[in-house]
């Protein structure tokens, strides 16, 4: 919700009705209209405690839904590095462009720091080739950001905001968590 996640032309905010928060020791409900949503961001603060959210989904044809899901999974398997552990795409798309395309056009596919690598399948993914450390991943992220800045004169932003840098820098805390996330192989079924 915080990042207004989305895929395949839709975002969480498209079907969101309201979000419930803990504020001043009480659960309160904010309607969607009270929250600002943009591409991969919202006005929800990272320190706010979300307890639940309401969504309004439309009823559809189950057979058509199965076909659509299969098409999405096939597309994902053909365009994303699902065989390697990763935390998903790293950078926000600087609309109307795509971060992966910018990174690819700069020849950064395959760029590595330790076992962290810019995927050869999709340039907006950093994969773990074996035993990438948080420092490897953060160094590679910063290297890509620097090369993009020098080449196009503009910065690409992390999907998870710069708090990720702070999180990764606290290696004693972050390393076990990151190691679990980066070691979990993404497959067609997850």
């Amino acid at each position: 919700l915080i990042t207004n996640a989305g895929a395949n032309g839709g975002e969480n905010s498209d079907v969101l009705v309201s979000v419930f928060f803990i504020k001043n020791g009480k659960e309160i409900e904010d309607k969607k209209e009270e929250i600002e949503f943009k591409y991969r961001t919202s006005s929800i603060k990272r320190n706010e405690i979300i307890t639940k959210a309401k969504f309004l989904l439309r009823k559809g044809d189950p057979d058509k839904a199965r076909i659509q899901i299969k098409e999405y999974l096939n597309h994902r398997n053909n365009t994303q590095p699902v065989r390697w552990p990763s935390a998903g795409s790293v950078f926000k798309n600087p609309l109307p462009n795509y971060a992966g395309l910018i990174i690819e056009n700069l020849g950064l596919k395959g760029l590595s720091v330790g076992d962290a690598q810019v995927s050869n399948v999709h340039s907006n993914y950093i994969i773990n080739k074996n035993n990438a450390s948080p420092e490897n991943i953060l160094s590679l992220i910063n290297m890509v950001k620097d090369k993009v800045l020098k080449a196009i004169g503009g910065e690409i932003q992390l999907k998870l905001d710069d708090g990720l840098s702070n999180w990764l820098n606290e290696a004693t805390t972050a390393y076990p968590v990151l190691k679990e996330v980066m070691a979990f192989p993404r497959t067609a079924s997850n």
Side-chain angles (χ1 to χ4, degrees):
L1 289 170
I2 293 171
T3 62
N4 195 24
N8 305 307
E11 300 174 314
N12 278 336
S13 61
D14 296 340
V15 292
L16 181 70
V17 174
S18 62
V19 180
F20 292 79
F21 299 91
I22 298 291
K23 291 186 180 174
N24 299 321
K26 295 183 179 178
E27 185 177 60
I28 60 118
E29 179 181 15
D30 282 357
K31 300 290 182 197
K32 170 185 168 178
E33 296 74 27
E34 299 173 62
I35 304 166
E36 184 180 350
F37 289 98
K38 294 181 183 174
Y39 172 75
R40 300 303 178 260
T41 191
S42 75
S43 59
I44 300 171
K45 306 280 186 275
R46 292 212 175 266
N47 64 347
E48 292 185 289
I49 300 169
I50 298 171
T51 58
K52 60 189 170 192
K54 284 185 189 174
F55 295 90
L56 180 61
L57 306 177
R58 63 184 169 159
K59 189 170 183 161
D61 180 321
D63 292 328
K64 286 182 182 176
R66 279 187 204 82
I67 291 168
Q68 187 69 63
I69 290 167
K70 192 172 189 173
E71 288 173 5
Y72 287 150
L73 286 173
N74 284 336
H75 176 75
R76 176 182 162 199
N77 290 337
N78 290 324
T79 60
Q80 297 176 16
V82 296
R83 305 260 182 265
W84 293 100
S86 81
S89 57
V90 177
F91 300 102
K92 292 181 185 179
N93 289 323
L95 299 174
N97 212 330
Y98 297 95
L101 185 60
I102 293 168
I103 295 164
E104 180 176 344
N105 288 341
L106 291 174
L108 302 180
K109 274 188 173 182
L111 182 67
S112 297
V113 173
D115 279 338
Q117 181 185 58
V118 174
S119 170
N120 286 310
V121 176
H122 191 308
S123 302
N124 199 9
Y125 283 71
I126 292 180
I127 60 173
N128 183 345
K129 293 291 283 187
N130 185 27
N131 197 24
S133 70
E135 295 82 9
N136 294 155
I137 296 163
L138 184 58
S139 292
L140 186 55
I141 287 170
N142 288 330
M143 190 180 297
V144 170
K145 284 177 76 172
D146 289 345
K147 289 181 183 292
V148 169
L149 180 62
K150 286 177 186 167
I152 68 170
E155 187 175 19
I156 54 175
Q157 297 178 331
L158 293 172
K159 279 193 170 182
L160 295 177
D161 79 27
D162 287 322
L164 178 64
S165 299
N166 296 332
W167 181 71
L168 285 169
N169 280 328
E170 296 172 9
T172 55
T173 304
Y175 189 74
V177 173
L178 184 64
K179 191 156 177 99
E180 281 180 40
V181 170
M182 294 297 290
F184 182 70
R186 295 168 39 137
T187 63
S189 61
N190 63 14

